[in-house]
Structures are given as structure tokens and as C-alpha cells.
Amino acid sequence: MRTPLLRFSATPVRRRLGGAIGATVLAGALLAGASAAPASAATSPSVAPAAARSLSAAATSAAAELPPDGDSVASPPGANDWNCRPSAAHPDPVVLVHGTFANRYENWLALSPLLKGLGYCVFALDYGTIPGITSSGSGLLLPIGGLGPVPESAAQLGRFVDLVLKATGAAKVDIVGHSQGGMLPNYYLKFLGGAAKVGRLVGLAPSNHGTTLDGITKLVPYFPGVADLIFTVCQACRDQAVGSDFNRTMASRPDTVPGVSYTVISTVYDEVVTPWRTQFLTGPAVDNEVLQNHCPITLAEHVVIAFSPTALHLVTNALDPAHATPVFCG
């Protein structure tokens, strides 16, 4: 049964602008309340000089081999320091994967600096961009991505993960994704050999079992000028539709793979990936969380969940369950 809360009455454009403008303020507030680690804390003092030189060379090589982004998008604050060395407290780097019609900068303005402040090595990629098509930006003058076929985007994620592992010397990464970005890593785990390289997958409003194209079209008010892309060049939109060939392929195997821990964070006000319970996964190492169970007053929906203090607190708890704290409601 849906939680009996009032619907959010503001227009999508107001919500979009409010989320984007407030992201920096939110990130600052979250960082102020976190036990921030010094910038140097991510460098392990136990690394021998020769090993450190080797890792530095690997970082330089990885940076040179970064997959093309189409149009260049800046990294979000705290992300893509290729000289970062994971600490003993957070040995797995975190890879952030944005959603459909988004990019790494806009999607992770809040979470990236939060994780960096907590001492994680953080990396974020752009994927699924189509140069010449998406160069007009999303309405905030930045290119958009997440348009290409999901299997191709998952392969790009796989290459990015390999670069992160090579640069940091880590054995595995953890992945946090939003919307499509919370679902496509599971294709990487199921079909592209990613399970051996990933410890945790955390999805914010992930399209794990597809949605209706009507749901996808509800993203349009957030990203002016992309309506014509949905039925023309957005193969990812078709892939995420219920009943698509892609979703049938995903359903041909269990929701999860052994050895990986999964967390799904959903909101009852999701208007894009619907019904919202279809985001949940079934498996032995799955934690399906509903935002309103922790904060009944939150009205965060599909886009704003990536900036919700409650959702971000659930993310940090999922990444470090041994040190989980009572979830903040806000």
C-alpha cells in the first residue's frame, strides 16, 4: 500500500531547478556533518616507495586511457582524482553511474563530495553520449548521456572499472548508480564478468525491471529539448521499456549474482520507474529500502532522490554497513 502522503504540487521545472541549485548547499551541509577525512588520508602510508611509483604510473596511464565522453563534461567535486589511494577504512573505490538524460557532473553534485569527505576514492564516468546529438545540453548547458544501448554502456562501465582498478591498485570497486545507472551495472555483473570486480551495488531509483515509456517521457520536463530524442536516438529508453528484448535478456538470469551485495533505495513518489516496487531485487544479499520508511515526510521523487539527505545517508550506510548510523530524516 502506498504511504498516504500528500503529492508534491510544485511543477517539474521548479523541482528540477530547486534540486540543481540546492545541490551545492546540500552537499556542504552533509559534509559539515560528516566525519571528514583529510585530503591526504586516502593515501596509505603502508605503500612502499616502489609500489607507490608503480601506482602513480598506473594512474597516469589510466588517465590517458579514459574512455571518450563525446562532449567534455567536468567531473563533480571530489571525483576522478587518479592519484587517490584507497585507505584501510575504505579499500574499495566508489564508481558513480549517472542516469538517462544526465551526466556525471549534474547527477553527483551532492554525493561525490560527500563520499570524498568521508575518505573514499571516488570516480564518475559519462556514458551513452552521442556527439553531435547531445551536444546541445540538458537545459543547464551541459551535454547529456545515458542514451546508447544499455549493453554498450555497460561495456563502457566495465572499461572504466578496469581503469579505476589499475590506477588505484584496488581489488574491487563499489558502484552507486541512479535510475538507468543503478540498473546497467547489473548487466555488467550478469553478462560481462563484472561480478569478480564489484563488492557492492547501490541503486537509487534503479530501473531494474523496466518501466513504461510513459514513465520515461516524464523525464522530459527536467531536461528541456530532449523530447524528440526519446523515440529517435535514445536506444536506452527502448531498452528500459517493460517487455523489451533487453529486459527479457535480464530476466533470463536471476536478479543477483553471488558475491555481490545489493542495496536498492526507492521512493513511493517515483513517477519515472513505475510501479516503484518493480525496482526491488530478489536475492540472498539484497537490501530493498524505501525512503519513506526512514523519513515519512520526504517528498523526494525520481530525480530529487539523488540529492535527498535521507537517500544519501542510506547510500553511505550501504557502502559501510559495519559503521552504519541512524538515518537522518530530511
Side-chain angles (χ1 to χ4, degrees):
M1 180 179 295
R2 294 178 70 92
T3 304
L5 299 179
L6 295 175
R7 282 285 184 179
F8 189 26
S9 60
T11 65
V13 173
R14 282 183 59 195
R15 279 184 286 174
R16 166 66 171 164
L17 292 177
I21 295 171
T24 303
V25 176
L26 171 60
L30 289 167
L31 286 169
S35 300
S40 60
T43 301
S44 173
S46 63
V47 177
R53 287 194 296 272
S54 177
L55 286 172
S56 178
T60 301
S61 174
E65 297 173 22
L66 285 178
D69 291 335
D71 296 301
S72 178
V73 176
S75 298
N80 296 336
D81 173 6
W82 293 94
N83 292 308
C84 187
R85 299 292 172 265
S87 65
H90 302 301
D92 293 350
V94 179
V95 174
L96 304 178
V97 188
H98 65 73
T100 309
F101 299 139
N103 57 61
R104 63 187 175 195
Y105 183 81
E106 290 181 316
N107 217 146
W108 304 118
L109 276 170
L111 183 58
S112 179
L114 171 61
L115 293 178
K116 183 67 172 181
L118 291 172
Y120 290 89
C121 291
V122 183
F123 298 88
L125 78 159
D126 279 315
Y127 70 91
T129 58
I130 303 177
I133 299 295
T134 61
S135 59
S136 59
S138 67
L140 293 180
L141 303 180
L142 292 177
I144 58 174
L147 302 181
V150 175
E152 292 182 11
S153 294
Q156 187 175 355
L157 169 63
R159 294 192 297 272
F160 191 82
V161 167
D162 286 345
L163 293 174
V164 170
L165 295 177
K166 179 179 178 181
T168 62
K172 291 186 176 184
V173 303
D174 292 335
I175 297 177
V176 180
H178 177 223
S179 191
Q180 180 191 166
M183 173 275 295
L184 79 82
N186 211 12
Y187 184 92
Y188 167 58
L189 299 178
K190 287 184 178 186
F191 298 100
L192 302 180
K197 303 173 184 179
V198 177
R200 302 181 185 278
L201 171 57
V202 183
L204 289 161
S207 52
N208 282 324
H209 299 104
T211 185
T212 64
L213 280 179
D214 180 60
I216 293 293
T217 62
K218 289 179 181 177
L219 281 171
V220 171
Y222 295 95
F223 304 97
V226 303
D228 57 329
L229 298 180
I230 292 178
F231 297 105
T232 54
V233 299
C234 184
Q235 180 61 48
C237 298
R238 298 186 183 95
D239 286 346
Q240 291 175 88
V242 171
S244 68
D245 290 344
F246 172 81
N247 271 305
R248 284 193 291 271
T249 298
M250 290 290 281
S252 69
R253 297 187 181 180
D255 276 357
T256 64
V257 297
V260 179
S261 297
Y262 296 77
T263 300
V264 175
I265 303 169
S266 303
T267 170
V268 302
Y269 295 112
D270 198 312
E271 77 284 32
V272 176
V273 180
T274 56
W276 59 269
R277 287 185 179 86
T278 63
Q279 299 170 19
F280 293 167
L281 295 172
T282 301
V286 174
D287 183 14
N288 293 310
E289 297 280 3
V290 180
L291 213 54
Q292 285 74 19
N293 287 347
H294 297 273
C295 187
I297 64 172
T298 183
L299 299 170
E301 40 64 88
H302 185 80
V303 172
V304 175
I305 194 172
F307 302 96
S308 159
T310 303
L312 300 189
H313 198 154
L314 287 168
V315 170
T316 59
N317 279 354
L319 291 174
D320 190 6
H323 298 94
T325 57
V327 177
F328 174 78
C329 179

